[in-house]
Amino acid sequence: MIWSEPRLDRLVTADSLDLGKTWSEPQLLLPEGQPVKPQAVFFTALATLPEGGLLRIWQDTAQSGCALYQQQMEPSSAQWSEPLRILEELDACPDGSKFFTSQGQLYWFWGEGTSSLWFSAWDAANARWSQPQFFSFSFQDEETNRQVQ
């Protein structure tokens, strides 16, 4: 779980490895010296890695552009890695995103309605996401000569 602690002007996290029966002590999500504004976390996601670890991803809206961060937890430990900025090339952050696993590979996709889709694959060997690929499903209707999105 990730939340904004306005008294500290910080993001805080706590974890449960037993379906919420017990919780870890709250920890600061971003390192010291990186304060955030209250309600600066807009997008949060948790994905299960095919090899058994976890990824948590969030957007820091206090920064300009799409400032996405992630942390990874290996299956052998209950410790999250240091926050890492990801997908810095994105102009707009994911909206309505989903994760899925197929044949041992984790994928992340997001889009705007039915007209477009962004797609990225998890590179487990390098612990990073692939360059996002954009797919557009809009087309020209031959009868009406209108663009369908």
Side-chain angles (χ1 to χ4, degrees), residues 56-114:
R56 66 179 169 199
I57 302 169
W58 70 95
Q59 176 189 359
D60 180 357
T61 59
Q63 297 186 40
S64 63
C66 178
L68 290 176
Y69 289 86
Q70 79 178 19
Q71 288 179 291
Q72 185 173 349
M73 182 188 286
E74 296 297 329
S76 59
S77 77
Q79 299 293 323
W80 290 100
S81 65
E82 289 295 316
L84 175 68
R85 179 93 185 257
I86 61 169
L87 302 177
E88 294 183 48
E89 64 275 5
L90 291 178
D91 293 327
C93 277
D95 184 26
S97 68
K98 303 270 189 249
F99 297 93
F100 71 94
T101 303
S102 176
Q103 300 178 0
Q105 177 67 51
L106 176 65
Y107 299 97
W108 183 11
F109 67 96
W110 62 94
E112 300 173 12
T114 58

Side-chain angles (χ1 to χ4, degrees), residues 13 15 20 44 48 59 94 115 121 129:
T13 182
D15 302 305
T44 59
T48 303
Q59 176 189 359
S115 65
W129 291 100

Side-chain angles (χ1 to χ4, degrees), residues 105-106 121-130:
Q105 177 67 51
L106 176 65
W122 177 250
D123 177 356
N126 295 302
R128 65 181 186 160
W129 291 100
S130 67

Side-chain angles (χ1 to χ4, degrees), residues 14-24 54 73 78:
D15 302 305
S16 175
L17 301 176
D18 57 9
L19 301 174
K21 292 178 185 172
T22 60
W23 290 88
S24 67
L54 295 173
M73 182 188 286

